Each structure stands twice: as C-alpha cells, then as structure tokens.
Amino acid sequence: MERISWDQYFISQSQLIALRSTCERLAVGATIVRDKRVIAGGYNGSVSGGSHCIDEGCKVIDGHCVRTIHAEVNAILQCAKFGVPTEGAEIYVTHFPCLNCCKTIIQSGIKKIIYGQDYRNNEYALELLDQAGVIYKKVEPEYLHMEQNAKDKIQLISTLLQELEQKGMDEEELKEFRMKANELFTMVE
C-alpha cells in the first residue's frame, strides 16, 4: 500500500476541519504544522457564543460575511491562546487565503502556505507574501471523498452558485440552493 504524501495528509485534515464551518458561503479549514506535527486547526465560524450563519444567515457587508472569523485566523489565535509559537510553521488551507489572512500569516511568522483551491487570489496578497519570503503552493486534495468525481461535482456546483450570486439571484433562493448543496457534499463554496 502506498502512503499519501505529507501535503496530502495535512490538506486532507484541513478539508475535514472545514466540515465544522458555520458559514454558508464558503467552508474553509486550516491546519498549522511544524516539524510534520499538527499544532493547531481552525475553520471559519462565528465568535465563541455568537450567532452562526447556519442559524441566522450570513451578515454580508461589501461582499464579505463579517459574522465569521476566517479559518487561518482561528488557527493562529488557537496557537496564541495556548502559547504555541507559529514562527517557521506551515499552514495548510482548503482555499487560498484572503488579503487580511495573508497579512496575519506573515505577521505570525508562518513561512509556507499550502492551499487546495484558488479563491479570489489577491494580487497584493501575492506581492506581500513574495516580499516576506513566504512560500505558497497549490496542492489539490486527492482524497477529498470516496465518491468518484466528487471534486469535479463540487467545483461545478460551486461555480454555478457563484454565477447565480453574481447575476443577482434572490438571497433566500440562493441560501436554499447552498443548503441543498451542502447536504449533498458538506463542503460546497
């Protein structure tokens, strides 16, 4: 039996962590690793004790859900809370980090980002990562689901949902489609 690579092992853990996400727009998971050991994990969700998107809907301002804390920040905050240093660590994320998460990753001392899917990759974020010497690479998960073609199906549904959103579909109808897609795949964007 052939063992999966370290990158596949940790990106798969991030996919699993993303299943805890409470945001209806995009389920994201992050795993922070140092010396091939997991030191923290995080998913995008509401502040502790706060209302969740899955319960009350996303709170969207300027195209972003402001109710959630991003997965990368949650993982870094977990390290801070428990006194675990992030200097020199790697972070595995289901999707390319947003600009603010990239800045947080740089400031935390993380030196490598491994991500599973492109997602609104910000040019300025790429510039900052390059300036800071943070390595980033895409590693598509190979063991996302046991179902054949699951990745292609998830990508198609995610793309369709994004197009419906861009074309101005009613938010309630869109929410219903997202819920149905999440029931089918448990990780649709």
Side-chain angles (χ1 to χ4, degrees), residues 126-169:
L126 294 169
E127 183 181 323
L128 289 175
L129 292 171
D130 289 339
Q131 287 174 2
V134 175
I135 298 166
Y136 50 93
K137 73 174 186 173
K138 183 176 182 178
V139 173
E140 294 189 25
E142 295 173 5
Y143 297 96
L144 185 58
H145 290 282
M146 297 300 265
E147 180 186 343
Q148 195 171 23
N149 301 321
K151 181 180 155 199
D152 295 333
K153 292 174 186 178
I154 290 170
Q155 186 60 48
L156 175 63
I157 290 178
S158 295
T159 300
L160 291 173
L161 289 172
Q162 287 174 355
E163 286 183 24
L164 289 172
E165 181 179 20
Q166 290 171 354
K167 292 185 180 191
M169 179 180 226

Side-chain angles (χ1 to χ4, degrees), residues 15-172:
Q15 292 287 348
L16 184 61
I17 290 170
L19 296 175
R20 290 284 306 156
S21 172
T22 60
C23 185
E24 295 179 319
R25 297 182 59 160
L26 182 67
V28 179
T31 305
I32 301 177
V33 174
R34 189 176 43 258
D35 300 325
K36 304 287 186 255
R37 301 289 182 261
V38 174
I39 59 173
Y43 54 88
N44 57 331
S46 301
V47 297
S48 297
S51 301
H52 295 283
C53 298
I54 57 174
D55 298 325
E56 296 188 18
C58 292
K59 187 173 181 76
V60 179
I61 298 175
D62 295 330
H64 299 282
C65 179
V66 297
R67 188 183 305 279
T68 62
I69 299 172
H70 290 190
E72 303 90 329
V73 172
N74 264 331
I76 291 167
L77 289 173
Q78 186 180 66
C79 286
K81 185 175 184 176
F82 295 105
V84 178
T86 54
E87 186 70 36
E90 301 173 351
I91 189 166
Y92 289 79
V93 191
T94 56
H95 297 76
F96 188 84
C98 72
L99 173 60
N100 283 329
C101 285
C102 284
K103 292 191 284 187
T104 303
I105 288 166
I106 292 166
Q107 287 300 99
S108 73
I110 291 172
K111 294 299 180 193
K112 190 173 186 181
I113 300 169
I114 298 90
Y115 65 99
Q117 294 180 33
D118 291 305
Y119 183 73
R120 300 180 184 172
N121 302 22
N122 183 287
E123 289 298 318
Y124 184 56
L126 294 169
E127 183 181 323
L128 289 175
L129 292 171
D130 289 339
Q131 287 174 2
V134 175
I135 298 166
Y136 50 93
K137 73 174 186 173
K138 183 176 182 178
V139 173
E140 294 189 25
E142 295 173 5
Y143 297 96
L144 185 58
H145 290 282
M146 297 300 265
E147 180 186 343
Q148 195 171 23
N149 301 321
K151 181 180 155 199
D152 295 333
K153 292 174 186 178
I154 290 170
Q155 186 60 48
L156 175 63
I157 290 178
S158 295
T159 300
L160 291 173
L161 289 172
Q162 287 174 355
E163 286 183 24
L164 289 172
E165 181 179 20
Q166 290 171 354
K167 292 185 180 191
M169 179 180 226
D170 177 71
E171 189 60 40
E172 282 302 311

